[in-house]
């Protein structure tokens, strides 16, 4: 699978409305056949920073995503809402989704 982590720094005036701003993009991406997950988190240290964890089944699914209308729309709209160029980690991982962590199990 393709695993992508993107760190966005929202402009201060958009930090609290970021999730509403990316809602349509998020919903449309999650409906893509090759999407495995598309999950947002907000930093506990900096309320302007959001991290997107996304995974796609393979390169073809990733290509379909970046060529989709909703991706193109997001890329056209988000520059007005970001304070810095996003940072990205992109890797091809030899797995097909989440696995269990070996070192930790819930207590009884």
């Amino acid at each position: 699978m393709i695993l992508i982590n993107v760190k966005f720094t929202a402009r201060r005036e958009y930090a609290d409305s970021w999730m509403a701003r990316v809602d349509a993009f998020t919903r449309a991406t999650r409906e893509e056949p090759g999407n495995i997950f598309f999950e947002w988190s907000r930093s506990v240290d900096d309320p302007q920073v959001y991290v997107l964890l996304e995974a796609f089944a393979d390169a073809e699914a990733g290509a379909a995503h970046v060529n989709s209308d909703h991706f193109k729309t997001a890329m056209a709209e988000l520059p007005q809402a970001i304070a810095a160029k996003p940072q990205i980690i992109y890797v091809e991982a030899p797995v097909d989704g989440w696995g269990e962590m070996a070192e930790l199990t819930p207590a009884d």
Side-chain angles (χ1 to χ4, degrees):
M1 83 176 177
I2 295 170
L3 176 64
I4 305 165
N5 303 333
V6 186
K7 187 184 288 189
F8 295 87
T9 302
R11 292 181 191 262
R12 189 173 312 283
E13 62 268 28
Y14 298 118
D16 289 335
S17 61
W18 182 264
M19 292 308 300
R21 180 172 293 276
V22 298
D23 182 62
F25 175 49
T26 299
R27 285 186 287 110
T29 301
R30 287 175 176 169
E31 292 176 7
E32 293 175 20
N35 179 255
I36 297 172
F37 55 82
F38 198 82
E39 301 179 10
W40 291 95
S41 297
R42 191 173 191 180
S43 171
V44 296
D45 297 319
D46 184 344
Q48 286 180 252
V49 173
Y50 286 84
V51 174
L52 172 61
L53 301 178
E54 54 186 306
F56 296 91
D58 51 34
E60 292 79 21
H65 172 63
V66 298
N67 288 304
S68 69
D69 288 340
H70 54 272
F71 182 88
K72 291 174 186 174
T73 298
M75 295 307 103
E77 293 175 353
L78 287 177
Q80 294 79 16
I82 59 175
K85 191 166 185 143
Q87 297 174 301
I88 188 169
I89 298 170
Y90 175 104
V91 296
E92 292 187 28
V95 296
D96 60 3
W98 293 96
E100 288 186 348
M101 181 177 174
E103 298 84 2
L104 191 60
T105 301
D108 291 329

